[in-house]
Amino acid sequence: PEAAMAVERPRSLFALSATAVSRSMAALERDVWALPGHLLRVLLPLLTVFHLERAEDAARRAGLSTQPIWRKLWDDVMKTRPPNSESITCWRKKFLETFFSNVLHGVLDVSSDWRLNDRHFSPLLHSSPHVSQLTLCNMLQGAVELTAQHNHKVLENLAGSLRILKFQHLLSCDQSIRRSLVLLLHRLIHHGSVSQVSMYSWPVPDTVLLVLILTMSAGFWRSGNALACHSSPCGLCREEDKAQSQESAQEGAERGCNAEQEGNSGENQKRPPKEADVHMNSVLSGPRSSPLQNPVCEETSSEVPCDHTSIQEGSSPHSSSEQLSCHLLPRKTRRQLKPAVGRKRRCLRRSRGHCADPEDLYDFVFTVAREDNSGLLDKTSTTERGNTENWTSSSPGSLCTGHAGCKRRGGPAGILSLKTAQRFRSVSTLELFSIPLTGETCRTLSNLLSSWVSLENLVLSYNGLNANISCILSGLRALSRRPECRFRVLRVSDMFSHMPCMELVRCVLSALPQLHTLSVSFDLKNQLEGSRPEVNPSCSEAEIPESCLEVLEIRFPREPLHTALLLPVLKASKSLQQLSLDSATLPCPQELGLLLEVLKECTPNLKKLSFHDVNLAEHQKEVLLLLQDPGLQEITFSFCRLFESSTAEFLSEIINTVKRNSSLKSLKLPGNRLGNHRLVALADIFSEDSSSSLCQLDVSSNCIKPDGLLEFTKKLEGHIQQRGGQLPFTHLRLFQNWLDQDAETAQEALRRLRAVCSVVNDAWDSSQAFADYISVM
């Protein structure tokens, strides 16, 4: 009755005034921001999202937080629970970023809620500064919308805010859509802040579209038809060209003055700067063709001609280097190609009437020449020539398609020729998930990787690489030889393994000694066991050079773990801090003991050790040895069947060992069938006589019921009282347990636990695991 009366009770004059003010914010905004905090607190929930976003500074000055309002907006409008909601630190950013994406893709109707609709604001324009990651799907309608003229300012905002660009469930598209995609990538990557490109779930990829995204992510691009309907060249490129041309002219004048002062009579040094530049171009490409009438062709012809014979076939990269450096840099060392992530690269294109700067042109042409001579591409492939012609005629990035001298393009897999492309800023992270990569596409990617000096992270997941993994490694090996290489993280996962996991790990570390993180994961052995390649003697017998590896993760396709094969890897990885072994089988009872000896001897810096789906039921002694290791800070036994054949004494030994170990910070035991009684016993780790520093405990998927959790909580509270309220324990993970069987008891246990530590759990339907429950009754 009281609630009903409250609903019927007329609104107060103050509430009516606040509503009136919120509807007149266009005229009263400046005065509203000056209101005292107690008035502003009432007014903020009545604002539209646009004015609420603008109220952030005023709220902060008044000591108010808008986070609860944004969280309520999320619940009311999005009506979903975002993943990892516990880790969201700013609900304003989360809401506006999702709001932008939903409006862009037509998922959200702004007229559905008065808080989303304000005729004074554009939804896309107003929310775009808060977008750090964006996903484009299907037919790339979002790319078309963002590159439309009326969204020019939106694209400018994204160029400054966007860091992660994702593509998901892409479909083949026509040339006009690809043209929009080219413009989008050029602005967001080459002249923007995007540092990561990820592609997901593309079962039958359009080769031209895939290669286009890869190529532009690597920083290569050709202007031309893509900008025909806009300003050509790109306005930002034009500004940079002008600034760089002035700088080149100034540098040329300085060189001329220095040469005159030194009185050097060398032929090259007596030439005027412009003449020297023309001479340099003739060295690189042979006789220059006559000036072209096509403005775009003219631009490009002053930089790099379309012909692919600029570096003689058959000459080694070293000889090419010596020949080019002899002509290009008579007086100073060539400037290295600097990593481009985090800043805007200077474009290599020059304005018409100006010659290319010798050092920049050398960087670009010699890079491509070395790629072409690296043997990564089979340029005689008829298929590639056909695809190249198709690219030239249909791709939005095609250059000089109307000029006879520019129609023949060499290059991999339908990709634009890197010799005729320009080098821009590139991304530092590339991720490809569930996208089949053919041999042709792998050669293209390998060629791009070989000079992708800004690349730091590469993730290849379920791409059906098989033997093509060697091609990818060839490109990465070429990249690692560059002094400016920044590549540090490689993650490869697939359904079938082409070679034994340890063989692949050895090959990767031999090729990439500078890696910091290596993850290799396979679900199954090759379908035809006899089709596995012979072990490569050069890779398996050669000594692995000392590496910088810090994290090693191996998921075996039910392969036996042979310590003898892992030993050379560990010996070469003195800096190893984290080791994860997943789904391996132990060929003999002594194998795990040998592994522990090797780890103790070879990896003095090891801090984290993880076993997942490795049967440790008969290795209780080794488990206890690991738990008492003073060097390990985090140990994971995930689904390792620890207590399958153990006695109560084993659990007591585990508890006592952890109590004596003051170095261990995190213990993860998911999927080991603890049950209620073992969970309650684990509370004794934090007893008064314990010297443990354990902060995190993971008991997910352990058939724990609400009454057991409540008893664990009560026991933990008793230990806290005995210790005077001091407890290092801060995090408890409870995913996929039986807490839905008695909701009231579970809520009480969780409420009391959250007063002690941070608890992470989920709403899991335990009826799906009834058989597992029966097994521990």
Side-chain angles (χ1 to χ4, degrees), residues 278-289 305 307 309-311:
V278 173
H279 173 72
M280 175 201 64
N281 284 339
S282 69
V283 172
L284 293 176
S285 58
R288 285 280 302 276
S289 58
D307 188 16
T309 59
S310 57
I311 302 296

Side-chain angles (χ1 to χ4, degrees), residues 252 255 267-283 327-328 330 355-356 358 361:
R255 285 196 298 267
E267 179 182 356
N268 286 337
Q269 293 175 338
K270 286 184 177 180
R271 287 193 179 101
K274 183 174 181 180
E275 184 181 348
D277 289 350
V278 173
H279 173 72
M280 175 201 64
N281 284 339
S282 69
V283 172
H327 289 275
L328 289 173
C355 292
L361 189 59

Side-chain angles (χ1 to χ4, degrees), residues 667-697:
L667 179 60
K668 300 181 180 181
L669 303 171
N672 284 288
R673 301 185 177 184
L674 285 173
N676 280 355
H677 66 288
R678 292 193 182 97
L679 174 68
V680 173
L682 287 177
D684 288 335
I685 292 175
F686 308 101
S687 62
E688 187 178 9
D689 62 340
S690 173
S691 58
S692 171
S693 301
L694 196 67
C695 301
Q696 301 182 23
L697 179 64

Side-chain angles (χ1 to χ4, degrees), residues 140 143 153 179 230 250 257 277 362 379 439 464 479 529 551 573 626 631 670 699 716 719:
L140 294 169
K153 182 60 178 175
R179 180 181 295 113
H230 296 266
Q250 183 178 356
C257 293
D277 289 350
Y362 179 93
K379 293 187 177 180
L479 174 63
E529 197 63 35
V551 179
S573 307
L626 284 173
V699 290
L716 194 62
H719 290 321

